[in-house]
Amino acid sequence: MESVFKKYNVSKIFPEADNVWALFPDGASAALAALEITRILNIYNKSVPNEDWEIRISGVGVDEGDGIYINPREGKFYGRHVDIAFKLGEDIVEDGEVCVSEFVYQNIKDDDRFRDINFSNVEYDDEDDFNYRHLTGDVDYNCDLLDLQGIGTDTDIFLTRSYDSDYETADLLIHEKYMKNNITVMMYGCDFGHITRKYDIQKCLKMRDTIFEMFDPIWKSFGGLEIEENFYIFDDPWDAIQACLITLDSIREYNRNQSEDNQIPLKGYGIHNGTMLLVPNSDIHWGDPVNTASKLGEDLAENGNIYISEYVYSLVSTQLEQQSNLEYTKLDLSASEADLTSYSIKKL
């Protein structure tokens, strides 16, 4: 992707888990880069001997506008147009599609560089109030596919196009060095998109900073290690639950002393335990604990609920039964077409 990004004058790139954000000088440049990347990936995937070697993406979303802020602490992008692009690429498109907002479409529809591109009829997202269109077709490109032969890094993770090589050995090496067992992942969700839409990005960022200042010392006091802004890992799932209960008390006390406009819109927490790929000093932290905790805490939680997976419940059931001030309820939830049996925990 990097060579395509540079070709279209990318100014900033921010990778996070399995997502990549990139800032371009205009929507046309971003849309051309998106179309070129998806075409190159399609060609690459057809050239490999089996699906194990394919690089798959859900798709790419593009929006354009003012009010984009880059957090100097972590390099992450914020703003309504960032949120729209993310929703287009993460939730709306699939199978490597490209989707642009109506604003971008109006700016590129008569651009000769898109003469061979087909635009779908306009569609509307009623949740976040914006119009968008799907793009299909090819753009001219001049990027060569790379023949990657044993390109290594100091982390011993390597890429190869030598399909006869013993990639099972490589998998074993990665597993032994970077797969971490019995890791508890905690993720919390807040409806910052609502704050950005109703007020502005500055108010949203102020709230984020407030949450970090309130939460971070508590997570760390229970042995939590920050991986991303709302993503911590713990050795002990009971420590994660206790930390969530204390932060929940803190944020409710904070909100009681604030006007409605200044209250922090906490959705809740998700906790799961399992095996994950964790490479130090990188953005590689992948695995079922991350995906499940994210679904529970960011997609499903509401009203400050603490959702733990069924497996986490099996690890902490004894401690829960000993707590006279806690109530826990079994729930059958679903997110992204996945069924998730979980337990909701709250104080009496």
Side-chain angles (χ1 to χ4, degrees), residues 53 149-150 158-170:
W53 294 95
Q149 293 288 347
F158 62 86
L159 301 173
T160 179
R161 285 286 299 277
S162 178
Y163 302 118
D164 294 330
S165 65
D166 184 7
Y167 63 82
E168 291 184 0
T169 300

Side-chain angles (χ1 to χ4, degrees), residues 18 28 46 53 78 120 139 143 146 148 157 159 211 297 321:
D18 58 353
K46 291 176 182 178
W53 294 95
Y78 295 98
S120 71
V139 294
C143 289
L146 299 178
L148 302 170
I157 292 180
L159 301 173
I211 289 178
E321 291 169 0

Side-chain angles (χ1 to χ4, degrees), residues 10-156:
V10 69
S11 58
K12 294 285 184 181
I13 300 173
F14 178 75
E16 183 181 61
D18 58 353
N19 299 305
V20 177
W21 285 262
L23 289 181
F24 293 87
D26 50 60
S29 299
L32 288 168
L35 290 164
E36 189 164 316
I37 285 170
T38 56
R39 185 182 181 192
I40 290 173
L41 288 178
N42 287 335
I43 294 173
Y44 169 82
N45 288 341
K46 291 176 182 178
S47 74
V48 298
N50 59 64
E51 63 181 14
D52 290 342
W53 294 95
E54 292 182 4
I55 301 173
R56 299 181 181 179
I57 61 173
S58 59
V60 186
V62 180
D63 192 21
E64 178 180 5
D66 298 327
I68 296 175
Y69 178 83
I70 303 175
N71 189 327
R73 186 173 72 89
E74 57 185 3
K76 191 172 182 176
F77 305 162
Y78 295 98
R80 172 161 171 76
H81 301 292
V82 177
D83 295 340
I84 290 175
F86 177 76
K87 185 166 189 177
L88 290 171
E90 178 77 6
D91 299 331
I92 292 177
V93 298
E94 56 186 12
D95 298 327
E97 294 177 310
V98 175
C99 205
V100 302
S101 67
E102 182 68 7
F103 183 81
V104 172
Y105 165 74
Q106 294 296 333
N107 288 335
I108 68 175
K109 63 180 182 177
D110 298 322
D111 190 321
D112 191 56
R113 292 173 293 178
F114 294 89
R115 62 185 179 276
D116 296 322
I117 299 302
N118 298 313
F119 299 95
S120 71
N121 292 328
V122 64
E123 298 179 56
Y124 176 65
D125 183 272
D126 56 0
E127 181 181 18
D128 290 316
D129 187 28
F130 66 87
N131 295 323
Y132 62 93
R133 297 179 189 248
H134 296 266
L135 277 60
T136 56
D138 290 333
V139 294
D140 295 331
Y141 75 100
N142 57 11
C143 289
D144 296 327
L145 292 178
L146 299 178
D147 186 19
L148 302 170
Q149 293 288 347
I151 299 175
T153 72
D154 58 4
T155 62
D156 296 327

